[in-house]
Amino acid sequence: MSWTESFPVMGEDMVDDYENLATPEEKAELEEWYGVKEIFNAQDKRHLVSFSLFWKPSSASKKVYPTPTREILQTAGELGLDLRFEPWPHYIQPVLDAMPVLMEKYDDVTVRVYLAADLDFLVEDFVNVGCEVYLMRHPSLAHAPGVVWRVLAFAEKDRLVTMVDSDRLNEVIADIERTREMDRAGLKSWRVPVMIDTDGAGKVVYKSFIGCQIGAEGGWPMERLLHAFTWHSRRGSLPTLVDVPGCGVMPINHGYWPDFGFEEWFLTVVMYPRMAGAGMLTFVPTGASSSLLLLDIEYATWANPNSQLVIFPTESCCGPVRSKLAGYPADDVVEFPKSDDYDSEKNGRAMLPPRVGENLSSES
């Protein structure tokens, strides 16, 4: 069994179907969901860090949140909403705190926030700390389209793009360095897969990307691919079933429009086959056990024999933070290797330490 026998793939024929069959009204709706209204503090640096910020429930079936204001975001826990974390301290303040340190360390990095239309009152906050702000036309429906906006950055030709969550911005140094090691190795993307095959309810959890740990060289037709994927997903013409080796055909756990996981399903069935063909650097933690991971790695190395696998020791791909930005003492910091420590003769492997280590509702 191969990867493409297990997972659906959105090929160019399906993109053509969207372009030929979608109505003008459907295309206009997609333009509204994914369109940018205005850009603030535009920058043109080679390395771009991208994240989304919006405030909606993780599922369209959940209770609608009130229209956001600065005061509501700062006191959301008092409103009795279904939240895992307070939005301001967990998703906004980390950006405001981390930006001065990042700007001092990296003068060639732009940090871009794709900001929901109803969060426009935050534009000045982000611009003042150095962010580039893409104010979107739409406030998001639920987890999507807001969570997906950040992948639009992969359209930026001749730029390196690192995609993150806002609550991980104080840990982003590791991800920036992984993107640069990928580039030095002559590869076009890096990722950490979601390495759990199924949940306890007979549904597939595995995805080729964790949405907050990806880097790639830009230049992909993101708008075209996103519009086609969303159109097919809403029509039910894109399969949401996976043939798990030894278990049979199962539905996916997350990834249905417009709910949680939609962007990771897009990355798996649309971007993974395309990025794999261009050459991919995959980070897998020690102890990972997954039949689908085996198919995944087999496919990636078949699609491009230059692709590389890096095993890093950690209890979890979202393990303990070891970052200067996280406030650890100097003797507890894992230093990144200097560029001359990188040995391109060793099959292009990235000599990296273990990983040091939205939606404002944090239902992501």
Side-chain angles (χ1 to χ4, degrees), residues 85-105:
F85 301 106
E86 292 277 3
W88 191 280
H90 198 84
Y91 291 98
I92 298 173
Q93 196 61 48
V95 178
L96 305 181
D97 291 342
M99 279 299 296
V101 182
L102 285 173
M103 293 301 93
E104 182 178 358
K105 183 175 180 62

Side-chain angles (χ1 to χ4, degrees), residues 178 284-288 311-320 354-357:
R178 282 178 170 180
V284 174
T286 53
I311 306 296
F312 63 97
T314 182
E315 294 178 358
S316 165
C317 58
C318 296
R355 174 194 175 275
V356 292

Side-chain angles (χ1 to χ4, degrees), residues 167-243:
D167 60 330
R168 290 191 66 252
L169 202 63
N170 68 340
E171 306 168 41
V172 76
I173 287 176
D175 294 344
I176 289 173
E177 295 297 333
R178 282 178 170 180
T179 302
R180 296 185 176 197
E181 292 292 349
M182 168 210 82
D183 187 46
R184 293 187 189 104
L187 302 173
K188 301 301 182 182
S189 65
W190 72 266
R191 47 75 186 253
V192 178
V194 177
M195 291 160 284
I196 303 171
D197 285 353
T198 61
D199 63 11
K203 295 182 179 180
V204 175
V205 179
Y206 190 95
K207 297 181 181 69
S208 295
F209 297 86
I210 291 175
C212 62
Q213 288 186 276
I214 307 171
E217 182 179 301
W220 301 94
M222 298 309 301
E223 184 175 294
R224 180 171 178 263
L225 294 174
L226 270 176
H227 288 195
F229 173 78
T230 305
W231 183 77
H232 279 290
S233 294
R234 296 184 72 219
R235 294 177 79 242
S237 50
L238 182 68
T240 54
L241 300 173
V242 178
D243 192 349

Side-chain angles (χ1 to χ4, degrees), residues 32-150:
E32 183 70 13
W33 285 334
Y34 292 115
V36 177
K37 178 181 180 180
E38 192 171 356
I39 300 173
F40 298 88
N41 194 27
Q43 301 171 35
D44 188 24
K45 300 173 183 178
R46 182 169 186 250
H47 198 147
L48 174 61
V49 172
S50 170
F51 68 94
S52 297
L53 203 65
F54 57 104
W55 196 48
K56 297 292 178 183
S58 63
S59 168
S61 65
K62 293 194 173 186
K63 183 179 178 181
V64 176
Y65 293 163
T67 300
T69 65
R70 184 180 298 270
E71 182 180 5
I72 286 176
L73 294 181
Q74 291 174 337
T75 61
E78 302 172 12
L79 301 177
L81 301 173
D82 182 15
L83 301 171
R84 287 177 59 199
F85 301 106
E86 292 277 3
W88 191 280
H90 198 84
Y91 291 98
I92 298 173
Q93 196 61 48
V95 178
L96 305 181
D97 291 342
M99 279 299 296
V101 182
L102 285 173
M103 293 301 93
E104 182 178 358
K105 183 175 180 62
Y106 296 107
D107 60 5
D108 60 343
V109 169
T110 294
V111 177
R112 176 186 298 171
V113 51
Y114 288 88
L115 189 65
D118 57 358
L119 296 177
D120 56 349
F121 55 88
L122 293 175
V123 168
E124 186 175 356
D125 295 79
F126 290 126
V127 167
N128 285 344
V129 295
C131 291
E132 178 184 67
V133 179
Y134 273 43
L135 182 64
M136 307 305 288
R137 296 182 191 173
H138 201 270
S140 192
L141 296 170
H143 209 60
V147 71
V148 194
W149 295 332
R150 57 187 176 173

